[in-house]
Amino acid sequence: MNGKKGSIRIDICLPSKNVVLEAVKKPITEKVPSPWNWLRDVWEFARQDTNRVTFALKVGLACLLVSLLILFRAPYAIFGTNIIWSILTVAIMFEYTVGATFNRGFNRALGSLLAGLFAVIVIQVAMSSGHTAEPYIIGFSIFLIGAVTSFMKLWPSLVPYEYGFRVILLTYCLIIVSGYRMGNPIRTMMDRLYSIGIGGLVAVLVNVFICPIWAGEQLHKELVDNFNSLADSLEECVKKYLSGDGSEHPDFSKIVIDDFPDEVAFRKCQATLNSSAKLDSLANSAKWEPPHGKFMHFFYPWAEYVKVGNVLRYCAYEVMALHGCVHSEIQAPYDLRCAFRSEILDATNQAAELLRSLAKDVNDLKWSLQASLLKHLHVSTKHMQHSIDLHSYLFTASHEDNSAKARLKTARLVSFNLKDFAKQCDKTESKVTVNTTAPSAPMQAESYHEMMQRAQMRLHSWPSREVGEFEDDKSVATDLIQSMCALERTTALSLVTFTSLLIEFVARLDHLVEAVEILATMARFKQQQ
């Protein structure tokens, strides 16, 4: 194969013996996190929400108080080993908010009481049935209680009481088995109920009277933050769409893997969409809380907060769609976006102002009529829609229909010149036609004007393939170049999509105002003129 005809020569470069691979030279060392970094992370986590530290200290205090019943001889002599149920109750029942603690306490108390009653009844029936049938009755009752409670906690309307069914199963099994061996089930049941009551009382007193964390206040603050986050997301998303000139378009697959790490607007809007479960949990806990703080009347409509949050999330879907337009592969020309910049910004600012006004009303528990803001918002939106309708020829005009009248309107009403782009497409088509008819045309150096023309085509084209790549290809037909120019012109339609989503967002704000008004009426907000 040494240079012979039809042979293939393959040269393989082998490393010399003196060459040492870099992986062998440098040992692989894993980075071990330092204790100082761990302490700094803990400090930052606690500093973000000081209630986390308060909750941890309260749990420790409650466990200490209950443990004194075992450490001191007098209480231990009365309750014996059953006092351990007090510590178990505190550990299970103590929750982050006061409402969640009351909810757990109710499930714990009701479940323990029902389990104790069932256990006493079953043991009395078993003892009256004789010594032989007694273990069979007890075993069958354990199977029956386990099956029924496990089935009932899956029932949709009983899901909030799932913890109570677990308590029934656990307490029943422990009481009936220990009572069967000890021979005094009623005494065992009463001692354990006393211990559970002591643990529950300590948990409630510590959670309510020592730096209480109210679920209602958490729900109120979360909803207000969602309003402000959605307003910030809308403004930042529209601002980025109008300011982007298309010069920097990173790979979408790379940025989506990292969940848009540099997009503050995306993270805020995503947090609003993911707050549904948190709002539901806080509302269920707030229903168990007594009047407190700013919410001083009974039967406060916490469920309305969830409904307002649902409508707000309904609006957030449109902001996420607007964010998708920012990173879309099909982008409108930058000059076309600038033509409608003032109308889009006006409608966006009015919508963000309305959201912040609603957030302020909810935060202050006051209601001011939003008629003026809604009127200004609708006027701005209609003005934007009218401007798009007036210049609709910019989105639908074909390449062949470039009349003098249309060009004159474009020059007068729009801040950019669309004729240059049309002329560039004409030059491209004529150049391809010349190349196909003159195969022996000499190659010339590319001038600065041609370089800028190529860059302009690449900037405003979709698919992201340069039209100039086909100029030197003699086998490409003229209709292919025309099709690619048509694709470039259809990118203007993506601006219509963006403005349509913005108009839809404004339409959904009407439902949001109605939901907040219902909340203000049911929660007795102060009326403001």
Side-chain angles (χ1 to χ4, degrees):
M1 295 185 180
N2 294 327
K4 293 182 180 180
K5 186 177 181 180
S7 63
I8 300 175
R9 180 176 179 178
I10 301 176
D11 295 331
I12 301 176
C13 251
L14 295 176
S16 62
K17 297 181 179 180
N18 297 328
V19 178
V20 183
L21 297 177
E22 292 294 330
V24 179
K25 285 182 179 181
K26 299 179 181 180
I28 300 175
T29 58
E30 296 182 358
K31 186 178 179 181
V32 180
S34 125
W36 297 109
N37 294 335
W38 181 79
L39 290 176
R40 186 178 66 252
D41 294 339
V42 173
W43 173 260
E44 289 295 330
F45 179 75
R47 192 174 60 86
Q48 290 175 0
D49 188 1
T50 56
N51 287 332
R52 297 165 178 168
V53 181
T54 303
F55 168 71
L57 295 177
K58 290 197 303 182
V59 173
L61 177 61
C63 292
L64 174 62
L65 293 177
V66 175
S67 300
L68 295 178
L69 299 177
I70 297 178
L71 298 177
F72 291 161
R73 185 176 299 274
Y76 183 77
I78 298 175
F79 297 100
T81 56
N82 290 321
I83 202 64
I84 197 68
W85 285 74
S86 299
I87 301 177
L88 182 63
T89 300
V90 170
I92 296 176
M93 180 177 163
F94 208 107
E95 291 290 333
Y96 185 75
T97 62
V98 176
T101 301
F102 275 112
N103 189 8
R104 280 273 179 145
F106 173 78
N107 282 274
R108 179 80 175 170
L110 184 60
S112 300
L113 182 61
L114 292 177
L117 292 177
F118 292 158
V120 170
I121 294 174
V122 170
I123 287 181
Q124 293 296 331
V125 172
M127 292 177 61
S128 62
S129 300
H131 185 69
T132 304
E134 184 177 357
Y136 296 100
I137 295 177
I138 292 176
F140 178 75
S141 66
I142 292 175
F143 167 78
L144 185 63
I145 292 295
V148 171
T149 54
S150 299
F151 179 79
M152 294 300 294
K153 70 182 181 181
L154 299 177
W155 195 266
S157 59
L158 298 178
V159 169
Y161 307 100
E162 184 265 347
Y163 174 70
F165 289 106
R166 289 182 181 272
V167 171
I168 291 176
L169 177 59
L170 176 64
T171 306
Y172 177 82
C173 293
L174 293 177
I175 289 178
I176 199 169
V177 171
S178 60
Y180 174 74
R181 287 301 178 186
M182 296 175 65
N184 194 355
I186 298 179
R187 172 74 183 199
T188 302
M189 181 196 71
M190 295 305 297
D191 289 343
R192 293 187 177 180
L193 288 180
Y194 290 150
S195 301
I196 293 173
I198 293 173
L201 181 62
V202 171
V204 170
L205 292 178
V206 172
N207 207 349
V208 173
F209 293 102
I210 300 178
C211 300
I213 304 173
W214 301 101
E217 294 181 357
Q218 296 282 332
L219 175 61
H220 185 80
K221 182 177 180 297
E222 183 71 19
L223 185 63
V224 173
D225 291 342
N226 287 344
F227 272 99
N228 293 323
S229 298
L230 187 60
D232 295 339
S233 303
L234 177 65
E235 287 183 336
E236 293 178 13
C237 182
V238 174
K239 181 179 178 181
K240 184 170 184 179
Y241 182 78
L242 295 177
S243 62
D245 57 356
S247 58
E248 295 182 0
H249 189 72
D251 188 7
F252 182 81
S253 60
K254 293 181 180 179
I255 59 178
V256 78
I257 291 176
D258 298 332
D259 207 9
F260 301 98
D262 299 331
E263 293 287 338
V264 180
F266 178 82
R267 293 198 300 270
K268 288 182 178 180
C269 193
Q270 192 177 43
T272 302
L273 292 176
N274 295 335
S275 63
S276 175
K278 186 176 182 180
L279 292 179
D280 290 338
S281 176
L282 290 174
N284 291 331
S285 300
K287 291 187 299 185
W288 295 89
E289 294 177 348
H292 59 278
K294 298 185 294 184
F295 320 103
M296 290 305 298
H297 59 269
F298 292 93
F299 305 108
Y300 197 83
W302 299 114
E304 294 300 320
Y305 278 79
V306 179
K307 293 180 181 179
V308 174
N310 292 336
V311 180
L312 189 64
R313 190 169 60 255
Y314 184 66
C315 298
Y317 288 135
E318 292 300 316
V319 179
M320 291 295 288
L322 291 172
H323 183 84
C325 291
V326 174
H327 294 283
S328 175
E329 291 292 334
I330 304 177
Q331 293 290 338
Y334 176 66
D335 296 335
L336 186 59
R337 282 178 275 176
C338 290
F340 303 96
R341 179 185 179 89
S342 60
E343 292 85 355
I344 295 176
L345 281 179
D346 190 20
T348 301
N349 293 334
Q350 294 292 339
E353 183 181 357
L354 178 60
L355 285 172
R356 292 192 176 95
S357 178
L358 292 175
K360 187 176 183 300
D361 288 345
V362 174
N363 186 43
D364 299 337
L365 299 182
K366 298 177 182 179
W367 174 247
S368 57
L369 296 178
Q370 308 292 336
S372 60
L373 290 177
L374 275 176
K375 182 178 179 180
H376 292 314
L377 177 60
H378 290 164
V379 170
S380 301
T381 306
K382 289 180 180 178
H383 179 62
M384 178 181 64
Q385 189 172 5
H386 178 70
S387 179
I388 293 175
D389 293 340
L390 186 63
H391 306 95
S392 59
Y393 59 88
L394 298 176
F395 309 104
T396 58
S398 60
H399 175 64
E400 293 78 14
D401 187 17
N402 281 328
S403 62
K405 183 178 180 180
R407 292 182 181 181
L408 181 59
K409 288 183 179 180
T410 305
R412 289 180 179 178
L413 300 177
V414 186
S415 62
F416 64 94
N417 195 347
L418 198 61
K419 294 190 297 179
D420 295 339
F421 182 71
K423 288 181 179 179
Q424 290 170 4
C425 291
D426 293 337
K427 291 180 180 180
T428 303
E429 295 173 3
S430 61
K431 187 174 181 180
V432 173
T433 306
V434 171
N435 287 339
T436 53
T437 55
S440 60
M443 299 295 293
Q444 296 180 355
E446 187 177 25
S447 64
Y448 176 79
H449 177 71
E450 292 175 345
M451 289 178 57
M452 295 305 297
Q453 178 181 344
R454 288 173 180 267
Q456 189 76 1
M457 290 180 182
R458 183 171 61 252
L459 180 62
H460 302 297
S461 65
W462 182 87
S464 57
R465 189 171 184 180
E466 194 174 354
V467 177
E469 295 178 4
F470 297 95
E471 293 181 355
D472 299 329
D473 192 353
K474 301 177 182 180
S475 61
V476 179
T478 306
D479 56 348
L480 178 59
I481 305 300
Q482 293 177 351
S483 300
M484 295 191 66
C485 290
L487 286 175
E488 292 174 349
R489 289 191 298 274
T490 56
T491 56
L493 295 178
S494 64
L495 179 63
V496 180
T497 302
F498 188 86
T499 54
S500 300
L501 292 173
L502 186 58
I503 294 173
E504 175 65 21
F505 177 80
V506 173
R508 295 187 180 190
L509 286 182
D510 293 340
H511 300 286
L512 183 61
V513 173
E514 294 177 1
V516 175
E517 186 176 4
I518 295 174
L519 172 63
T521 303
M522 299 183 65
R524 305 173 192 174
F525 286 3
K526 295 181 180 179
Q527 297 289 334
Q528 287 185 341
Q529 299 298 331

